């Protein structure tokens, strides 16, 4: 070799590789030249070395996309449910697979409401219909019931080319939207529902973010403010950050079973008017992460408040099947709005959301969902369809799954008895686990857990000693993040710190799903109890 840029072997690419090797402090080797009998040192002149460094600098130019140049709204997004604590849980799982010893043998991911990942069995009828839609040759099989085949044929007739693999209309397959409208009418005791107001979505999250995109506008003090409950599901704060809207917090009343108080809504709204234009009010019922089920009176008060203050209502109702406590009942915002009379029903703008992911189905992976949007301005309706068309359509298999949620077997059909048995088994099991979790947590010193009236989570308040708070600060961690990290490292249990959902200053919580099987849930709760007692002893 005579130096970088010149290769006696005739290889331009090797000339660059030689230069890069030298710049990195490695001895270059050329496969085209005979290797000396003994390892020797290739001697380069200082000019050759300088030239090599220059070539290497050109080869690794500055990146276009960096943390400094990226979209600042995306950088501001946080999603605690899959945040740092979950990443650490993944690292620990890898270490366990490598045989690294821990005080536990498995990581229990109680951070997310993923029913099937926790061992819940799929609903047979739903899977049968989706299987038939996916592989229509099975329609000739005697192994599948006729009521499942009937639904599959109807769905396929609504698909282009009778195939689940074709695009659908952006608003969703028409016959499925009709089934959703019929479901809403049955659920709400005959309140009319128009399929044209139904939009099939990629889970409920897609619908929520789509509506927020249309609602958010303005700048400075005119920027749209979005009122969200605290604690909240982090989808809302993440979407608000991404869209550069203004988050307006209203606090649920923990001392009153996480109730929603209209006086708190009014306080929040009036304070927010000083720095933004609040025009959206988000409600989660049943609550996530708090598990409360709102009373009819509460919903009436919220609707009146929205009507009075001219707020667009978003009703997140994905846990509508998950109600456990005696005396609690799910009331849809749509139904109560209708029953409050035409002054409300014809004027309050309302978008409500449902999904295949929760309830008794737990079909998170299909990403099926819908939203019903009422009282939209006709021109805005066109804008909404335009926005939806950009993402072409929701997954058609998810649309099929959603159809079975809203159009299940009915009495007299072949599959009804098995379907109702499976559905009731799941919901009864969840009710048992909700009560078990509440009772066991309330026996732990320094824990307080409100009744789990609905949804899939416990959100207990935990006492963290001042010594532990100081240590958390030294590690630049929120106290409940510090607590949850220690819990993970010592027990293998992964839960989400309350700071990821929002909480009142000076209070600490975590969210934990109740989805593990009963026996595993008992073990999990005992481990949490033992850990907390040791934690208090250590930091007292």
């Amino acid at each position: 070799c005579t130096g970088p840029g010149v290769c006696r072997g005739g290889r331009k690419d090797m000339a660059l590789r030689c230069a890069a090797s030298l710049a990195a402090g490695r001895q270059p080797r050329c496969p085209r030249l005979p290797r000396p009998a003994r390892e020797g040192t290739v001697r380069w002149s200082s000019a050759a070395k300088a030239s090599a460094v220059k070539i290497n600098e050109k080869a690794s130019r500055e990146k276009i996309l960096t943390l400094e140049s990226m979209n600042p709204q995306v950088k501001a997004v946080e999603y605690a449910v899959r945040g740092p604590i979950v990443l650490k849980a993944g690292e620990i799982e890898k270490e366990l697979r490598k045989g690294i010893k821990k005080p536990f043998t498995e990581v229990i991911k109680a951070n997310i409401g993923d029913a099937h990942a926790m061992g819940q069995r799929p609903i047979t009828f739903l899977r049968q219909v989706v299987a038939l839609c996916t592989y229509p040759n099975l329609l000739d099989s005697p192994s599948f019931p006729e009521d499942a085949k009937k639904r599959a044929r109807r769905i396929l007739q609504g698909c282009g080319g009778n195939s689940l693999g074709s695009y659908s209309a952006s608003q969703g397959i028409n016959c499925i939207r009709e089934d959703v409208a019929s479901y809403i009418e049955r659920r709400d005791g005959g309140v009319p529902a128009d399929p044209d107001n139904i939009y099939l979505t990629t889970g409920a999250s897609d619908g929520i973010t789509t509506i927020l995109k249309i609602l958010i506008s303005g700048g400075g003090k005119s920027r749209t403010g979005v009122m969200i409950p605290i604690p909240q599901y982090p989808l809302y704060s993440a979407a608000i950050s991404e869209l550069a809207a203004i988050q307006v917090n209203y606090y649920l009343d923990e001392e009153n079973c996480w109730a929603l108080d209209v006086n708190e809504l009014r306080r929040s709204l009036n304070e927010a008017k000083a720095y933004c234009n609040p025009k959206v009010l988000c409600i989660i019922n049943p609550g996530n992460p708090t598990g409360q089920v709102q009373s009819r009176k509460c919903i009436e008060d919220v609707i009146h408040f929205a009507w009075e203050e001219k707020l667009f209502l978003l009703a997140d109702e994905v846990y509508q099947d998950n109600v456990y406590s005696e005396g609690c009942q799910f009331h849809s915002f749509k139904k109560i709005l209708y029953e409050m009379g035409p002054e409300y029903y014809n004027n309050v703008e309302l978008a409500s959301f449902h999904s295949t992911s929760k309830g008794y189905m737990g079909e998170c992976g299909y990403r099926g969902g819908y939203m019903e949007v009422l009282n939209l301005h006709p021109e805005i309706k066109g804008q909404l369809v335009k926005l939806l068309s950009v993402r072409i359509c929701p997954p058609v298999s998810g649309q099929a799954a959603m159809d079975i949620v809203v159009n299940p077997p009915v009495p007299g059909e072949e599959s009804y008895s098995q379907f109702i048995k499976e559905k009731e088994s799941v919901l009864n099991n969840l009710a048992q686990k909700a009560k078990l979790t509440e009772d066991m947590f309330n026996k732990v010193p320094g824990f307080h857990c409100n009744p789990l009236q609905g949804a899939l989570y416990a959100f207990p308040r935990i006492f963290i000693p001042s010594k532990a708070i100081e240590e958390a600060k030294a590690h630049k961690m929120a106290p409940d993040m510090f607590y949850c990290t220690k819990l993970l490292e010592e027990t293998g249990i992964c839960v989400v710190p309350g700071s990821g959902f929002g909480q009142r200053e000076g209070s600490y919580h975590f969210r934990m799903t109740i989805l593990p099987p009963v026996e595993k849930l008992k073990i999990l709760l005992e481990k949490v109890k033992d850990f907390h007692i040791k934690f208090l002893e250590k930091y007292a």
Side-chain angles (χ1 to χ4, degrees):
C1 291
T2 55
V6 181
C7 180
R8 277 164 46 199
R11 294 272 299 275
K12 289 182 180 178
D13 60 322
M14 284 307 301
L16 289 172
R17 285 172 63 185
C18 284
S21 294
L22 185 73
R26 298 191 301 272
Q27 177 179 308
R29 291 177 179 173
C30 178
R32 297 291 296 270
L33 295 177
R35 184 173 295 183
R38 281 177 140 199
E39 288 291 313
T41 303
V42 177
R43 298 189 181 276
W44 295 69
S45 69
S46 58
K49 289 180 181 179
S51 179
V53 171
K54 192 173 181 181
I55 289 172
N56 193 54
E57 286 175 350
K58 285 181 179 178
S60 57
R61 70 176 190 177
E62 208 173 277
K63 297 291 184 187
I64 294 166
L65 183 60
T66 65
L67 282 173
E68 289 69 37
S69 67
M70 72 174 286
N71 184 333
Q73 269 66 58
V74 174
K75 191 157 60 172
V77 168
E78 292 183 2
Y79 187 65
V81 173
R82 294 197 172 194
I85 197 91
V86 184
L87 297 177
K88 185 166 184 65
E91 291 170 6
I92 292 173
E93 282 184 316
K94 288 178 184 176
E95 291 174 354
L96 286 171
R97 284 196 291 269
K98 289 177 181 176
I100 297 172
K101 296 296 180 184
K102 302 283 181 185
F104 46 86
T105 57
E106 66 170 332
V107 172
I108 302 175
K109 289 186 175 176
N111 61 293
I112 196 166
D114 190 351
H116 294 182
M118 285 290 184
Q120 182 177 308
R121 304 300 301 164
I123 298 296
T124 301
F125 188 77
L126 187 150
R127 288 296 182 91
Q128 285 175 330
V129 175
V130 175
L132 289 163
C133 289
T134 304
Y135 188 56
N137 288 0
L138 293 173
L139 288 164
D140 297 325
S141 170
S143 301
F144 289 79
E146 285 304 316
D147 49 0
K149 292 179 181 179
K150 178 183 175 183
R151 283 165 176 77
R153 289 189 184 99
R154 183 167 180 268
I155 292 168
L156 288 172
Q157 285 168 7
C159 296
N162 292 321
S163 172
L164 214 62
S166 60
Y167 288 134
S168 77
S170 298
Q171 202 169 337
I173 296 171
N174 190 57
C175 67
I176 298 177
R177 288 165 47 226
E178 290 173 354
D179 287 345
V180 171
S182 297
Y183 162 79
I184 292 170
E185 287 186 1
R186 293 194 307 274
R187 181 197 68 188
D188 293 344
V191 175
D194 183 351
D196 202 37
N197 292 333
I198 307 296
Y199 303 81
L200 302 183
T201 57
T202 308
S205 303
D206 172 48
I208 292 164
T209 53
T210 299
I211 290 293
L212 286 174
K213 283 178 185 177
I214 285 191
L215 280 163
I216 291 166
S217 64
K221 290 186 177 181
S222 297
R223 190 66 175 165
T224 298
V226 181
M227 300 179 68
I228 63 172
I230 297 297
Q232 52 105 18
Y233 177 50
L235 162 71
Y236 291 94
S237 55
I240 289 165
S241 293
E242 185 181 352
L243 298 170
I246 306 299
Q247 179 173 318
V248 179
N249 297 338
Y250 66 87
Y251 289 89
L252 301 176
D253 183 1
E254 184 171 11
E255 303 308 317
N256 191 23
C257 204
W258 298 113
L260 195 166
D261 183 355
V262 171
N263 291 325
E264 169 62 12
L265 288 179
R266 200 171 303 283
R267 176 208 63 78
S268 173
L269 179 78
N270 290 337
E271 289 182 8
K273 286 177 179 178
Y275 56 86
C276 69
N277 175 25
K279 64 179 182 183
V280 187
L281 173 57
C282 302
I283 310 289
I284 308 173
N285 180 47
N288 175 11
T290 44
Q292 85 284 4
V293 177
Q294 290 178 2
S295 68
R296 180 190 179 93
K297 174 69 166 59
C298 175
I299 294 171
E300 288 175 349
D301 290 345
V302 170
I303 290 172
H304 177 75
F305 177 79
W307 173 81
E308 187 178 49
E309 298 291 346
K310 297 181 179 177
L311 297 171
F312 195 113
L313 266 176
L314 303 188
D316 182 341
E317 299 175 335
V318 301
Y319 297 99
Q320 58 189 260
D321 288 304
N322 301 109
V323 177
Y324 315 124
S325 292
E326 286 185 24
C328 289
Q329 181 183 348
F330 170 75
H331 301 280
S332 78
F333 269 74
K334 157 83 176 290
K335 179 176 188 284
I336 304 303
L337 179 64
Y338 183 83
E339 292 174 348
M340 288 175 72
E343 188 174 11
Y344 293 94
Y345 185 69
N346 293 328
N347 291 291
V348 173
E349 291 155 277
L350 168 69
S352 51
F353 307 91
H354 195 18
S355 165
T356 62
S357 301
K358 310 303 175 185
Y360 59 90
M361 309 78 66
E363 293 284 8
C364 304
Y366 278 119
R367 308 308 299 134
Y370 75 76
M371 60 180 175
E372 182 184 26
V373 190
L374 302 179
N375 294 319
L376 270 191
H377 189 288
E379 291 177 357
I380 293 298
K381 202 165 189 175
Q383 294 295 317
L384 175 58
V385 172
K386 178 186 75 175
L387 184 58
L388 291 170
S389 70
V390 173
R391 57 91 160 112
I392 309 297
C393 67
V396 181
S397 55
Q399 296 184 49
M402 191 74 245
D403 188 68
I404 307 313
V405 175
V406 298
N407 185 24
V410 296
E413 287 190 304
E414 183 180 351
S415 301
Y416 177 74
S417 60
Q418 182 182 6
F419 167 78
I420 205 70
K421 181 181 177 182
E422 291 176 352
K423 175 182 176 180
E424 289 179 354
S425 173
V426 170
L427 294 176
N428 290 338
N429 187 253
L430 286 168
Q432 177 191 352
K433 291 188 287 189
K435 185 64 176 156
L436 171 70
T437 303
E438 176 197 339
D439 289 347
M440 289 193 70
F441 273 160
N442 283 326
K443 291 176 183 175
V444 180
F447 264 58
H448 172 72
C449 185
N450 274 319
L452 279 62
Q453 296 175 339
L456 302 175
Y457 315 99
F459 196 68
R461 185 172 68 228
I462 52 175
F463 171 69
I464 299 181
S466 56
K467 188 178 173 184
I469 294 171
E470 290 303 315
E471 188 167 331
K473 287 178 181 175
H475 287 86
K476 296 182 179 178
M477 298 170 78
D480 50 7
M481 172 62 88
F482 176 75
Y483 180 95
C484 293
T485 301
K486 291 290 186 186
L487 176 66
L488 173 63
E489 291 172 344
E490 295 181 25
T491 68
I493 296 169
C494 179
V495 297
V496 189
S499 49
F501 301 88
Q503 54 199 352
R504 284 195 181 274
E505 187 72 27
S507 70
Y508 306 108
H509 304 77
F510 64 76
R511 190 191 81 163
M512 186 197 85
T513 182
I514 61 170
L515 283 168
V518 172
E519 292 310 312
K520 181 173 270 193
L521 182 62
K522 287 179 180 177
I523 294 168
L524 185 156
L525 294 168
E526 283 293 340
K527 283 187 172 185
V528 171
K529 173 187 170 185
D530 294 343
F531 166 81
H532 188 73
I533 291 170
K534 289 176 185 175
F535 186 87
L536 291 182
E537 289 171 353
K538 180 176 179 180
Y539 291 103

